[in-house]
């Protein structure tokens, strides 16, 4: 992995050699991404950290429903969807919910594999995710997930 990078009031060690991309989203959300070099098949290994504040106090009890809603939106437009059971835990003092998934993207006409982690910190919702394709997925997702597990408060 690379050195720690700052993401708002957090730190993460992205995969070494990935280039950083930052993009504002709707309603004050932000996306922070790291991308590997373009492969011969046109794909990239990647890691995404997305943050947003819903503008209200977030209860720890809202974590699972928020995550399920996010996963349902990801499922749209994908066939042959499979998802592992939700896992809950604490990593670096932050409580997460996460899952691994796969599905055939009907728009891209390709099978995708990925993981999603979600946590709340203060008034923020943070999502850490990655997705990839065969034959790159096993190595690229393992590195991206290792990086995601370094996420912590400053």
């Amino acid at each position: 992995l690379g050195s720690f990078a700052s993401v708002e009031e957090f730190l993460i060690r992205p995969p070494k050699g990935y280039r950083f991309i930052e993009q504002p989203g709707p309603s004050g959300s932000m996306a922070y991404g790291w991308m590997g070099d373009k492969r011969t098949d046109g794909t990239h290994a990647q890691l995404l950290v997305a943050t947003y504040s819903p503008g209200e106090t977030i209860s720890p009890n809202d974590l699972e429903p928020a995550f399920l809603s996010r996963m349902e939106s990801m499922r749209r437009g994908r066939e042959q969807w499979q998802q592992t059971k939700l896992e809950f835990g604490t990593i670096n003092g932050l409580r997460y919910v996460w899952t691994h998934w796969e599905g055939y993207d009907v728009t891209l006409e390709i099978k995708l594999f990925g993981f999603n982690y979600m946590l709340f910190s203060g008034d923020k919702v943070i999502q850490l995710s990655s997705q990839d394709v065969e034959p790159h997925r096993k190595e690229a997702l393992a590195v991206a997930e290792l990086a995601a597990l370094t996420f912590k408060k400053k």
Side-chain angles (χ1 to χ4, degrees):
L1 297 177
S3 300
F4 274 104
S6 184
V7 174
E8 299 175 16
E9 64 267 25
F10 305 97
L11 295 170
I12 189 169
R13 290 184 62 198
K16 191 172 186 170
Y18 284 26
R19 74 180 179 284
F20 178 69
I21 299 166
E22 181 178 0
Q23 182 175 347
S27 304
S29 64
M30 286 295 298
Y32 306 91
W34 289 268
M35 293 183 72
D37 292 335
K38 189 174 186 178
R39 301 173 180 138
T40 56
D41 64 3
T43 64
H44 298 263
Q46 48 85 13
L47 172 66
L48 177 70
V49 178
T51 68
Y52 69 93
S53 294
E56 56 192 45
T57 303
I58 304 169
S59 163
N61 295 333
D62 296 334
L63 183 57
E64 184 175 353
F67 188 71
L68 289 171
S69 175
R70 173 65 186 132
M71 294 311 299
E72 184 58 34
S73 69
M74 286 195 63
R75 184 179 180 167
R76 288 187 206 113
R78 296 200 170 122
E79 296 175 347
Q80 303 163 17
W81 182 262
Q82 294 182 42
Q83 178 180 317
T84 61
K85 75 179 187 80
L86 299 186
E87 298 282 343
F88 296 85
T90 302
I91 304 165
N92 298 321
L94 300 167
R95 182 165 158 67
Y96 286 84
V97 60
W98 68 90
T99 191
H100 293 91
W101 57 267
E102 62 184 68
Y104 182 80
D105 189 303
V106 295
T107 303
L108 299 174
E109 298 181 342
I110 195 163
K111 188 157 190 177
L112 295 170
F113 302 82
F115 66 81
N116 281 65
Y117 285 70
M118 182 180 279
L119 66 129
F120 294 166
S121 181
D123 68 343
K124 290 200 175 166
V125 177
I126 300 107
Q127 180 178 322
L128 299 101
S129 62
S130 185
Q131 65 183 29
D132 214 329
V133 298
E134 292 288 9
H136 316 289
R137 72 169 172 113
K138 284 187 181 177
E139 182 179 338
L141 289 175
V143 170
E145 193 160 19
L146 185 61
L149 295 176
T150 69
F151 190 82
K152 64 182 182 178
K153 287 184 177 181
K154 288 183 181 176

